[in-house]
Amino acid sequence: MGWGSLATFVAASCLSTLRFFFPNVLYEPPATFKAGYPEEYKIGEVSERFKEEHKVWIYRSKKGITAYLALCTHLGCTPHFRPENKTFFCGCHGGVFNLEGDPIAGPPPIPLYRLGVSLAPDGKILVDKNLREADPKKRDKEPYLLVV
Ligand code: FES
């Protein structure tokens, strides 16, 4: 019985040691992704093409291309784009954002976050979710606005 206990202890120790060679890894979608070519977006339209997979809206205005994070700045619900009145509506507490991402009704304290956008070498739009900006003084220029 003594040898059995010792063998169990040694086996458990070896397994515990082996476990350190396989660290826990968090599998998340990549923070950057390509969102197609600028010509695929019409001026004045909000595209929901990447909302499901990446939680991102692409909006092309006369100024350029913007990527919004589809996350309400109140408590983090996912708003919905309403094409009929061109607003982003959050059903959790009635927050409403205009096309610029500014809160125009409800409790959201700051605008929607804009994400980094640039042109990849292949000419496609590269969205970088690591770059986020809601400050109106900073968001209307690179890297949060892609002038095309
Ligand atoms: S979480 Fe969007 S309004 Fe509260």
Side-chain angles (χ1 to χ4, degrees):
M1 188 162 139
W3 286 110
S5 297
L6 182 63
T8 304
F9 173 76
V10 169
S13 297
C14 288
L15 287 174
S16 298
T17 304
L18 280 175
R19 178 71 180 87
F20 284 109
F21 292 107
F22 302 97
N24 292 331
V25 178
L26 186 60
Y27 293 100
E28 291 183 344
T32 59
F33 66 94
K34 289 184 180 175
Y37 295 99
E39 306 79 51
E40 296 173 26
Y41 300 94
K42 293 180 188 165
I43 291 176
E45 280 190 4
V46 172
S47 170
E48 298 203 289
R49 200 166 127 194
F50 299 99
K51 185 183 171 197
E52 193 71 30
E53 187 179 354
H54 295 285
K55 283 194 164 259
V56 169
W57 289 295
I58 306 288
Y59 170 52
R60 184 170 189 175
S61 68
K62 289 178 182 168
K63 291 188 263 181
I65 291 177
T66 305
Y68 291 117
L69 183 64
L71 193 77
C72 181
T73 53
H74 179 222
L75 294 178
C77 289
T78 302
H80 304 283
F81 179 65
R82 289 177 160 175
E84 66 274 11
N85 53 14
K86 296 196 183 270
T87 54
F88 301 94
F89 175 73
C90 179
C92 287
H93 310 99
V96 183
F97 303 86
N98 64 17
L99 270 182
E100 292 299 309
D102 294 320
I104 54 174
I110 59 172
L112 291 172
Y113 285 104
R114 294 187 186 193
L115 304 172
V117 281
S118 59
L119 270 187
D122 62 2
K124 291 183 176 175
I125 301 165
L126 187 65
V127 178
D128 186 351
K129 293 172 79 175
N130 291 317
L131 299 173
R132 296 179 183 188
E133 186 58 68
D135 185 344
K137 292 177 193 143
K138 298 177 185 171
R139 69 184 187 193
D140 270 340
K141 51 190 164 193
E142 287 184 11
Y144 306 104
L145 178 70
L146 176 62
V147 179
V148 285

